[in-house]
Amino acid sequence: MHLPVPLLDGDVSLERAIHKRRTIRSFDDKALTLNQLSQLLWAAQGITEPGGFKRSAPSAGALYPMDIYAVVGSDSIAGMEPGIYHYEPSNHSISLIRKDDMRKDVANASLWQMWMAHTPLNLIITAEYSRIMGKYGHRGIRYAMIEAGHVGQNIFLQAQAMGLAAGIVGAFEDEKVIKVMGIKETHEPLLVMPVGYEGT
Ligand SMILES: Cc1cc2nc3c(=O)[nH]c(=O)nc-3n(C[C@H](O)[C@H](O)[C@H](O)COP(=O)(O)O)c2cc1C
């Protein structure tokens, strides 16, 4: 499914987004829009070089070992079926890799941080180290982890700039998250970022 074209400008200054950013753990169940999902995925890993391949976040050697997945709940994003979707930066599209609302399973795998099951969207950042270790060896693992931090902050600031809120979760059991997602074990989950409207 092709995503709407992302905006390249907005009303909230970068300074304000940085100033206001906080890790939020309580979200409203108000649905998000496909435009908001598109914008978040673009901020995370979208291609920002016209006609090229370079992305929104820096990557050692421009080797891009990260993948982004969207865990979408029932009635969480207008017009979208619940499930887990994989983001494809090359054509700014998503594809369904697993049906059903898997948010509770992701929350269970995240040491029972059950607030994640009530967040409309959980973005999962994974790394495939083989893409970067060919050039950098073991040090490539360090580079991929640093890159995940850049992607995470982009998601945080983009959410803030759109009037949304985000959380960040590193406490989870890797094998359980991999199983819930149904992805290859060579893809290591590094961060889960719940996104939605802040709860009252
Ligand atoms: C790598 C990493 C892992 C984190 N894991 C969790 C987590 O599993 N659950 C959680 O509620 N917060 C988690 N946090 C959020 C921190 O608790 C939070 O960033 C910190 O308290 C500072 O607050 P702030 O982000 O609102 O400025 C994590 C943050 C980072 C950077």
Side-chain angles (χ1 to χ4, degrees):
M1 175 203 274
H2 283 277
L3 292 166
V5 177
L7 298 175
L8 301 182
D9 208 350
D11 297 333
V12 175
S13 71
L14 177 63
E15 293 80 2
R16 185 168 173 79
I18 293 172
H19 180 59
K20 292 289 175 191
R21 184 212 63 82
R22 280 276 80 83
T23 296
I24 299 305
R25 300 176 182 85
S26 168
F27 294 87
D28 201 284
D29 56 11
K30 183 176 170 184
L32 304 181
T33 65
L34 198 57
N35 283 315
Q36 287 169 322
L37 176 66
S38 166
Q39 198 69 34
L40 289 160
L41 292 171
W42 171 81
Q45 276 294 273
I47 291 180
T48 49
E49 185 185 35
F53 69 99
K54 291 197 172 173
R55 303 185 186 179
S56 54
S59 180
L63 289 168
Y64 301 108
M66 323 307 292
D67 280 275
I68 313 292
Y69 297 84
V71 181
V72 176
S74 301
D75 301 320
S76 288
I77 298 183
M80 272 184 81
E81 294 296 321
I84 302 182
Y85 295 80
H86 176 252
Y87 177 56
E88 180 51 56
S90 63
N91 58 358
H92 194 56
S93 69
I94 46 172
S95 52
L96 185 65
I97 62 158
R98 180 144 202 192
K99 281 184 183 171
D100 296 328
D101 187 340
M102 304 304 290
R103 291 175 299 170
K104 204 168 165 190
D105 303 80
V106 172
N108 281 339
S110 304
L111 312 188
W112 299 277
Q113 299 188 63
M114 297 319 293
W115 54 274
M116 297 168 70
H118 307 292
T119 308
L121 171 68
N122 285 297
L123 294 174
I124 302 183
I125 302 168
T126 66
E128 189 178 35
Y129 298 119
S130 59
R131 291 184 215 164
I132 193 162
M133 288 179 80
K135 180 168 185 186
Y136 295 112
H138 194 72
R139 201 170 181 82
I141 296 175
R142 176 200 297 229
Y143 290 164
M145 289 176 177
I146 292 169
E147 186 173 330
H150 288 277
V151 174
Q153 183 76 339
N154 277 7
I155 292 170
F156 256 131
L157 296 179
Q158 180 66 78
Q160 195 65 47
M162 288 193 291
L164 299 175
I168 180 166
V169 169
F172 49 75
E173 291 182 58
D174 299 351
E175 302 75 26
K176 283 191 184 172
V177 173
I178 287 170
K179 205 170 164 198
V180 168
M181 296 172 75
I183 58 171
K184 288 185 194 155
E185 283 171 17
T186 48
H187 291 245
E188 183 165 272
L190 292 179
L191 284 174
V192 183
M193 300 205 50
V195 186
Y197 289 94
E198 187 171 358
T200 45

